[in-house]
Amino acid sequence: MTAAERPVPYSTAPRERRTAARGGMLLTFVALAALPVVSGQNGYVLQVYTQTLLLASLALAWNVLGISGAVSLGHAAFFGTGAYVSALLSTIQDLSVWITIPLAGVFAAALGMLAGLICMRLRGAYFALATLAFVEIPRVITTNWDNVTQGSLGLVGLPGLPVLHWGDWRLDMAASSTAAYYFVFAYAVMVLCIVGIIQRSSFGLAFQALREEETAALSIGIPVSALRLLALSASAFFAGICGACYAHLVRYIEPGLVYGLYFSAIPMVLAICGGRFTILGPALAALVIYPLDQFVFHPLLPAGHEFLYGLALVLTVLFFPKGFWGYFGRTS
Amino acid sequence: MSLLTLHAVSKTFGDFTALKDINFVLDEGEVVGLVGPNGAGKSTLLNVISGRLKPSYGEVRFDNVLINGLKPQRICRLGISRTFQSSRLFAGMSASDNILAARLFGKGCRPRITGQDRDAARRALAFVGMTHKADTPAGDLTLSEQRRLDLARALATRPRLLLLDEIAAGFSPVLVKQAVSLVKKVRARGVTILIIDHFLNLSVRVSDRLLALDHGEKVAAGPPAEVLRNPDVMRAYLGLRHEGPGHTSRGKHAG
Amino acid sequence: MLSAVVVSALATGSFYTLVALGFALIYGVTRNFNLAHGELLVLAGYTAYWLWKTWALPFVFTFPVAIVASMAVCLALQRLFARLSEPLELNSIVFSFGIAILIQNAMRLCFSGNYRLIRIPTLNHGAGFNALPVSYGQLTLLGLSLGAIALLYLFMYHTYPGKALRATIQNREAAALAGINVAAMGILAFAIGGFFIGLAGPLFGCIHYLYPATGPEATLLAVTLTIFAGVGRLGGIILAGWLLALAESITVLYIGSSWREMIPAALLLGLLALKPRGIFSDDGR
């Protein structure tokens, strides 16, 4: 058989299309990097894009789990826990924000592990319902533990983002919104890179395998339960750091907000609209939808502008089940 | 040398007995056909060996290690691999990715995908004659291609014992011939094989021995010609029940 | 004291039952989880509030309007739910979550974020049993929930469409093979679900405060009771409702009222963790 000897290309995606996608990515990256310079002194634009990148990171974090096939409706549990852990450690324990932000991730990951152990045997819809209920637990505990957390009043006057030292050079990210923007930008890029590395490793194959055919995945030696737990705690880790960044960015948190429906819904909506089985999709959806919301719909409809997220989700499920990037772009 | 030992293996679901006191020894390098009519317990036995089901009673030993109750992924790592009767391929993944996943996890996790792994996946596809389908999503393959890919995926975990579940069911004579030669090629690699074969179209041509089950019990074991002449086996397949009083009550559990 | 707790738990539990019935029925028949359930309920509540406040319609007469409106909305939604692809249960969750966000924001736009309450003073008056501290409102709830269950029971067991509905709940494929129009049963389920939502909505407005973001609370209740009772076991829902309300009362009494909110969530998590895929699954084979 000579056909058997012939080398076969590893990917069928047309070269031009891949080049176009890479070019687009590079262009987006450059545009985002240049944004503070281009937008000049417009603080509002910068603020919106800082939030955009934070939500992009959150959507990417959500999708660390989402890519394994699970849908979480309760990521606010990890976001809120991250926000509270970092806020409390930096105010009460007076720890540096450099330390409390990663610690927030660790606490959130532990909570994710707990959620994973509770929901170990649940799949699909039932896992989603369990996450819907799970978010109530840290929220009620935080609200009721009021001698530490101030309860539903929330915490105000939190320390801002950290100060970066490099010899004599000093960057105060709490004072400069440009610096804060780059801080969040760096985090988003970092999460994206980590997700990309995971997806291109054998774990990416394993996640796809276990979401498509769990029985077969087990039979070829994939440790399905362990990978699920790992995905959930990693996802919670990154979401927790997002929460911590949010706390120090906005410098005010309350349980109803950081554990609220908004931070559960946003990452899910963005990831599903962008394409939950893709690497880039969730981040792209954030870049499109959140600015659209803030610059177009918020001025038009100050009261109900968030309907956009519902509309985007409904249209995606009905017409593009694979999400935008899953439909038009390349899947993972 | 014995590779797989079944000792008094039983499996019950509620008050239904799917397997009853199965004793059997599979030697290294052998090809054994597991035959029997519908509901005989063939699939249950396969699921017990591969770890999807836990035996209710008895011992399953692989290479002298007790494996009953182990999780499927552990059993895979010890060296038992299987195919599936109805397609359980990773439908959205390319044929070569299906194999790659099995290669990378079959003997423990390896995070990095190397060029060697990709070459091995390509060779595995060539082994089953599917080089040209490397990038086709598994869900788009034909039935015979899916079965071959399933076999290649199972082999990619580098098993010592391969369990084939109805790999030639519904095949035309030409395809059965291909399957026969494929199984012989696998055997030539030194892999021990247990074939589940309801229609007897594959196992009689490649097996050293047959193990016949009926209603969860072993009714015969031995060389194919001998087993096929066994009156109990004929009765099980043909549904003849006029022989003796011991057989009259059996029919009601079928299905 | 104890009798007061039990009476109030029974009344609250009955209210929970009314909240959950529509959700349970729609899920049982169509396997669609409608997470917009709470929002639909609040919308029905707002409808009643608006009629009662601006048109000064007596509270009782707001029910027919709310019921008709809910049924219409549910039937419209059914057209969309019917277009979902497999896996139906998960896709319906994601889809209806989007619908929930849409309705919630529409309500924020139309009714603002203020807290509203349909104030019916007579409902709080004692019903005049000296030994038993029961208010008219509590009696109404008990009566309504028992009446609704009885009505549903009569329908399901003594009419042809009801029997077909039950067959569909038990086994869709078998029902379809037996000549039952499963798609029509889906429409019927959404219609009846809409009826119960329209019944519960105005009550929600007079027991609980109405505000746009309160829907998920009702949804969580409905999910919990549905999983608790098991699919299709509509009679079990009222029992589940009472037990949940009792558990909440006990929590309020011994631990503190601020922990009450955690009870439905903890109960749902516990049920799911111990009985994966719901309490109704048989994890054999």
Side-chain angles (χ1 to χ4, degrees):
Chain A
M1 259 192 239
T2 49
E5 317 299 331
R6 206 184 310 139
V8 172
Y10 296 130
S11 168
T12 45
R15 186 178 294 264
E16 316 84 71
R17 221 165 128 195
R18 258 158 64 191
T19 319
R22 279 198 192 135
M25 262 174 72
L26 195 70
L27 213 65
T28 313
F29 182 86
V30 170
L32 284 172
L35 186 89
V37 185
V38 177
S39 73
Q41 297 308 306
N42 192 332
Y44 178 62
V45 171
L46 208 54
Q47 200 186 324
V48 167
Y49 274 96
T50 308
Q51 187 76 3
T52 303
L53 290 171
L54 189 71
L55 295 179
S57 318
L58 186 60
L60 286 167
W62 186 94
N63 211 36
V64 170
L65 175 68
I67 220 156
S68 76
V71 169
S72 159
L73 304 177
H75 256 52
F78 313 123
F79 184 90
T81 302
Y84 263 95
V85 166
S86 190
L88 289 174
L89 288 178
S90 62
T91 49
I92 297 174
Q93 298 292 326
D94 224 12
L95 289 175
S96 153
V97 176
W98 279 124
I99 300 167
T100 63
I101 291 180
L103 273 179
V106 172
F107 270 82
L111 191 70
M113 189 73 85
L114 177 72
L117 290 173
I118 294 174
C119 308
M120 186 76 109
R121 293 160 73 194
L122 302 175
R123 300 285 178 270
Y126 295 94
F127 178 84
L129 292 180
T131 56
L132 193 68
F134 184 78
V135 69
E136 292 293 295
I137 287 169
R139 183 181 71 82
V140 175
I141 290 175
T142 307
T143 312
N144 284 333
W145 197 7
D146 47 8
N147 54 349
V148 177
T149 64
Q150 312 288 325
S152 53
L153 293 175
L155 295 166
V156 288
L158 299 173
L161 288 172
V163 181
L164 206 60
H165 291 281
W166 191 273
D168 278 349
W169 184 75
R170 191 168 177 284
L171 184 61
D172 189 348
M173 288 187 278
S176 153
S177 53
T178 307
Y181 172 83
Y182 281 119
F183 179 78
V184 178
F185 185 38
Y187 180 62
V189 171
M190 190 188 87
V191 178
L192 184 63
C193 289
I194 292 173
V195 172
I197 290 168
I198 294 174
Q199 283 311 308
R200 284 174 203 289
S201 74
S202 69
F203 290 101
L205 281 179
F207 284 132
Q208 193 178 353
L210 72 87
R211 81 171 182 244
E212 288 193 355
E213 193 53 72
E214 186 172 333
T215 310
L218 279 168
S219 85
I220 60 164
I222 294 175
V224 170
S225 306
L227 279 182
R228 276 218 165 85
L229 263 186
L230 191 70
L232 182 51
S233 21
S235 177
F237 177 82
F238 293 122
I241 290 184
C242 288
C245 291
Y246 177 85
H248 299 296
L249 206 60
V250 179
R251 302 172 103 172
Y252 160 73
I253 54 174
E254 59 169 37
L257 181 68
V258 292
Y259 288 111
L261 187 67
Y262 183 79
F263 286 112
S264 284
I266 279 276
M268 191 266 267
V269 171
L270 294 177
I272 287 179
C273 292
R276 69 189 167 112
F277 300 147
T278 67
I279 299 172
L280 280 174
L284 287 178
L287 289 181
V288 174
I289 297 178
Y290 186 73
L292 190 68
D293 169 29
Q294 290 299 306
F295 293 132
V296 180
F297 287 92
H298 192 273
L300 283 176
L301 296 169
H305 64 102
E306 281 160 14
F307 85 94
L308 176 67
Y309 299 99
L311 188 67
L313 188 60
V314 166
L315 292 179
T316 303
V317 177
L318 285 179
F319 301 111
F320 308 102
K322 284 179 172 174
F324 179 80
W325 192 240
Y327 194 81
F328 295 104
R330 280 186 322 133
T331 45
S332 63
Chain B
M1 202 190 84
S2 71
L3 186 63
L4 182 79
T5 313
L6 304 174
H7 177 67
V9 172
S10 298
K11 178 70 193 175
T12 53
F13 298 108
D15 51 6
F16 172 72
T17 306
L19 287 176
K20 193 173 167 193
D21 196 29
I22 305 288
N23 291 287
F24 192 72
V25 177
L26 198 64
D27 289 331
E28 182 126 43
E30 245 190 328
V31 177
V32 171
L34 180 58
V35 302
N38 275 333
K42 303 185 299 287
S43 293
T44 309
L45 186 58
L46 190 97
N47 286 334
V48 164
I49 298 171
S50 65
R52 272 184 86 188
L53 294 174
K54 213 172 149 173
S56 314
Y57 183 79
E59 286 184 354
V60 183
R61 283 181 183 276
F62 178 70
D63 204 17
N64 284 322
V65 181
L66 190 68
I67 60 165
N68 39 340
L70 289 188
K71 296 244 163 58
Q73 76 266 29
R74 298 270 308 135
I75 287 178
C76 171
R77 284 172 190 194
L78 288 172
I80 300 180
S81 183
R82 67 168 295 178
T83 68
F84 294 89
Q85 187 174 355
S86 56
S87 174
R88 284 188 185 274
L89 293 169
F90 309 126
M93 285 160 68
S94 69
S96 67
D97 278 357
N98 267 271
I99 293 175
L100 211 48
R103 182 178 162 81
L104 291 161
F105 284 89
K107 288 278 178 285
C109 303
R110 265 196 296 127
R112 262 182 66 79
I113 306 174
T114 62
Q116 270 181 353
D117 293 319
R118 294 191 187 280
D119 287 342
R122 219 174 53 199
R123 280 198 304 276
L125 277 175
F127 182 77
V128 295
M130 286 177 55
T131 312
H132 57 297
K133 298 282 184 171
D135 298 310
T136 311
D140 296 349
L141 298 170
T142 65
L143 177 69
S144 111
E145 285 168 346
Q146 289 194 352
R147 295 258 175 86
R148 277 184 282 157
L149 179 57
D150 200 358
L151 178 76
R153 183 178 70 178
L155 273 181
T157 65
R158 281 151 291 167
R160 291 171 67 192
L161 172 62
L162 181 62
L163 312 169
L164 300 179
D165 194 353
E166 305 284 9
I167 199 158
F171 273 13
S172 68
V174 179
L175 287 174
V176 171
K177 228 171 130 187
Q178 278 181 10
V180 168
S181 71
L182 193 54
V183 171
K184 284 181 175 161
K185 263 165 73 184
V186 175
R187 173 191 204 161
R189 290 180 156 197
V191 180
T192 310
I193 303 173
L194 181 67
I195 304 173
I196 287 202
D197 193 17
H198 173 67
F199 295 103
L200 298 163
N201 59 359
L202 180 64
S203 53
V204 286
R205 299 182 207 184
V206 291
S207 307
D208 304 311
R209 286 193 294 155
L210 292 184
L211 166 62
L213 298 184
D214 188 25
H215 301 303
E217 288 181 65
K218 180 164 105 177
V219 288
E226 199 178 291
V227 168
L228 291 179
R229 274 198 305 275
N230 183 307
D232 285 325
V233 176
M234 289 170 73
R235 192 177 301 117
Y237 264 94
L238 299 173
L240 305 174
R241 307 201 187 281
H242 54 78
E243 288 294 310
H247 303 295
T248 45
S249 65
R250 277 180 166 179
K252 66 182 176 189
H253 288 309
Chain C
M1 177 65 190
L2 186 69
S3 59
V5 170
V6 172
V7 165
S8 106
L10 282 180
T12 313
S14 303
F15 171 62
Y16 290 171
T17 306
L18 288 170
V19 167
L21 265 182
F23 180 89
L25 192 74
I26 289 175
Y27 173 66
V29 176
T30 66
R31 295 295 148 115
N32 283 315
F33 281 112
N34 175 20
L35 291 194
H37 180 79
E39 275 71 19
L40 292 174
L41 214 116
V42 176
L43 195 61
Y46 270 121
T47 311
Y49 176 83
W50 175 68
L51 291 169
W52 172 79
K53 187 86 178 174
T54 46
W55 297 80
L57 205 65
F59 182 54
V60 186
F61 294 120
T62 64
F63 282 94
V65 185
I67 286 171
V68 169
S70 300
M71 286 172 82
V73 175
C74 277
L75 285 173
L77 275 181
Q78 193 275 336
R79 304 305 313 146
L80 295 177
F81 271 106
R83 299 185 54 154
L84 295 177
S85 52
E86 290 290 339
L88 208 56
E89 294 184 349
L90 185 60
N91 281 341
S92 65
I93 281 189
V94 174
F95 170 74
S96 57
F97 198 87
I99 296 286
I101 299 175
L102 270 176
I103 299 179
Q104 199 181 107
N105 282 286
M107 292 192 298
R108 202 166 278 149
L109 195 66
C110 301
F111 305 107
S112 88
N114 295 342
Y115 284 48
R116 320 267 189 194
L117 185 68
I118 303 175
R119 241 178 263 278
I120 310 292
T122 27
L123 289 180
N124 294 325
H125 290 173
F129 303 112
N130 282 335
L132 217 55
V134 155
S135 73
Y136 283 116
Q138 289 170 328
L139 274 182
T140 313
L141 286 175
L142 257 172
L144 265 179
S145 66
L146 287 173
I149 294 274
L151 204 69
L152 198 58
Y153 182 86
L154 283 177
F155 175 73
M156 299 275 264
Y157 283 81
H158 294 283
T159 67
Y160 172 75
K163 286 176 183 170
L165 216 49
R166 269 193 317 147
T168 314
I169 290 174
Q170 277 167 18
N171 190 330
R172 286 164 69 86
E173 284 76 30
L177 286 175
I180 292 171
N181 184 345
V182 173
M185 288 302 119
I187 297 173
L188 184 61
F190 269 89
I192 303 176
F195 175 86
F196 285 116
I197 289 172
L199 185 68
L203 290 171
F204 194 88
C206 89
I207 290 165
H208 194 284
Y209 280 91
L210 287 171
Y211 52 99
T214 189
E217 225 176 302
T219 306
L220 188 63
L221 260 173
V223 175
T224 308
L225 294 196
T226 303
I227 301 284
F228 193 118
V231 67
R233 305 239 313 274
L234 297 170
I237 288 185
I238 194 159
L239 202 67
W242 287 339
L243 283 173
L244 175 62
L246 206 60
E248 288 188 351
S249 308
I250 290 169
T251 310
V252 171
L253 218 57
Y254 293 102
I255 305 175
S257 60
S258 51
W259 294 91
R260 187 192 62 83
E261 289 169 64
M262 203 151 100
I263 301 305
L267 188 65
L268 179 58
L269 264 185
L271 283 169
L272 286 172
L274 299 175
K275 272 285 188 182
R277 299 190 294 143
I279 204 161
F280 33 83
S281 68
D282 50 340
D283 312 325
R285 310 228 169 164

